[in-house]
mmCIF file of all heavy atoms in Angstrom:
data_model
loop_
_atom_site.group_PDB
_atom_site.id
_atom_site.type_symbol
_atom_site.label_atom_id
_atom_site.label_comp_id
_atom_site.label_asym_id
_atom_site.label_seq_id
_atom_site.Cartn_x
_atom_site.Cartn_y
_atom_site.Cartn_z
ATOM 1 N N ARG L 42 0.426 23.636 -1.063
ATOM 2 C CA ARG L 42 -0.285 24.158 0.056
ATOM 3 C C ARG L 42 -1.636 24.684 -0.338
ATOM 4 O O ARG L 42 -1.868 25.109 -1.471
ATOM 5 C CB ARG L 42 0.442 25.297 0.790
ATOM 6 C CG ARG L 42 0.705 26.540 0.010
ATOM 7 C CD ARG L 42 1.606 27.440 0.830
ATOM 8 N NE ARG L 42 1.801 28.745 0.144
ATOM 9 C CZ ARG L 42 2.679 29.561 0.562
ATOM 10 N NH1 ARG L 42 3.451 29.500 1.536
ATOM 11 N NH2 ARG L 42 2.737 30.781 -0.138
ATOM 12 N N GLN L 43 -2.499 24.621 0.581
ATOM 13 C CA GLN L 43 -3.875 25.008 0.442
ATOM 14 C C GLN L 43 -4.333 25.873 1.599
ATOM 15 O O GLN L 43 -4.467 25.223 2.688
ATOM 16 C CB GLN L 43 -4.820 23.938 0.115
ATOM 17 C CG GLN L 43 -6.208 24.385 -0.388
ATOM 18 C CD GLN L 43 -6.994 23.261 -1.009
ATOM 19 O OE1 GLN L 43 -6.672 22.148 -0.789
ATOM 20 N NE2 GLN L 43 -7.921 23.700 -1.677
ATOM 21 N N ALA L 44 -4.594 27.092 1.382
ATOM 22 C CA ALA L 44 -5.083 27.932 2.584
ATOM 23 C C ALA L 44 -6.708 27.890 2.469
ATOM 24 O O ALA L 44 -7.141 27.596 1.409
ATOM 25 C CB ALA L 44 -4.612 29.360 2.347
ATOM 26 N N ALA L 53 6.920 24.131 -3.878
ATOM 27 C CA ALA L 53 8.292 23.802 -4.401
ATOM 28 C C ALA L 53 8.373 22.340 -4.940
ATOM 29 O O ALA L 53 7.541 21.532 -4.436
ATOM 30 C CB ALA L 53 9.446 23.877 -3.374
ATOM 31 N N THR L 60 17.488 19.008 -8.680
ATOM 32 C CA THR L 60 17.161 20.276 -9.067
ATOM 33 C C THR L 60 15.890 20.869 -8.504
ATOM 34 O O THR L 60 14.809 20.333 -8.784
ATOM 35 C CB THR L 60 17.187 20.464 -10.624
ATOM 36 O OG1 THR L 60 18.355 19.995 -11.060
ATOM 37 C CG2 THR L 60 16.883 21.755 -11.136
ATOM 38 N N LEU L 89 9.114 32.783 8.135
ATOM 39 C CA LEU L 89 7.634 32.482 7.822
ATOM 40 C C LEU L 89 6.776 33.745 8.074
ATOM 41 O O LEU L 89 7.118 34.557 8.939
ATOM 42 C CB LEU L 89 7.134 31.349 8.705
ATOM 43 C CG LEU L 89 7.693 29.958 8.221
ATOM 44 C CD1 LEU L 89 7.585 28.972 9.311
ATOM 45 C CD2 LEU L 89 6.768 29.618 7.026
ATOM 46 N N CYS L 99 2.554 16.932 0.464
ATOM 47 C CA CYS L 99 3.690 16.548 -0.384
ATOM 48 C C CYS L 99 3.098 15.603 -1.523
ATOM 49 O O CYS L 99 2.001 14.907 -1.349
ATOM 50 C CB CYS L 99 4.633 15.757 0.289
ATOM 51 S SG CYS L 99 4.234 14.189 1.132
ATOM 52 N N TYR L 102 5.905 11.529 -7.884
ATOM 53 C CA TYR L 102 5.612 10.981 -9.103
ATOM 54 C C TYR L 102 6.540 9.789 -9.296
ATOM 55 O O TYR L 102 7.768 9.854 -9.671
ATOM 56 C CB TYR L 102 5.912 11.984 -10.231
ATOM 57 C CG TYR L 102 4.838 12.974 -10.503
ATOM 58 C CD1 TYR L 102 4.700 14.206 -9.788
ATOM 59 C CD2 TYR L 102 3.877 12.691 -11.523
ATOM 60 C CE1 TYR L 102 3.685 14.992 -10.033
ATOM 61 C CE2 TYR L 102 2.937 13.636 -11.773
ATOM 62 C CZ TYR L 102 2.689 14.747 -11.036
ATOM 63 O OH TYR L 102 1.764 15.704 -11.219
ATOM 64 N N GLN L 113 -1.379 13.182 3.212
ATOM 65 C CA GLN L 113 -2.600 13.640 3.826
ATOM 66 C C GLN L 113 -2.712 15.007 4.284
ATOM 67 O O GLN L 113 -3.715 15.569 4.504
ATOM 68 C CB GLN L 113 -2.945 12.649 5.092
ATOM 69 C CG GLN L 113 -2.213 13.050 6.338
ATOM 70 C CD GLN L 113 -0.670 12.736 6.337
ATOM 71 O OE1 GLN L 113 -0.229 12.112 5.364
ATOM 72 N NE2 GLN L 113 -0.033 13.119 7.364
ATOM 73 N N GLY L 114 -1.525 15.627 4.257
ATOM 74 C CA GLY L 114 -1.436 17.027 4.553
ATOM 75 C C GLY L 114 -1.005 17.247 5.999
ATOM 76 O O GLY L 114 -1.426 16.516 6.906
#
Side-chain angles (χ1 to χ4, degrees):
R42 67 187 181 187
Q43 187 167 17
T60 300
L89 283 160
C99 68
Y102 276 87
Q113 80 286 355

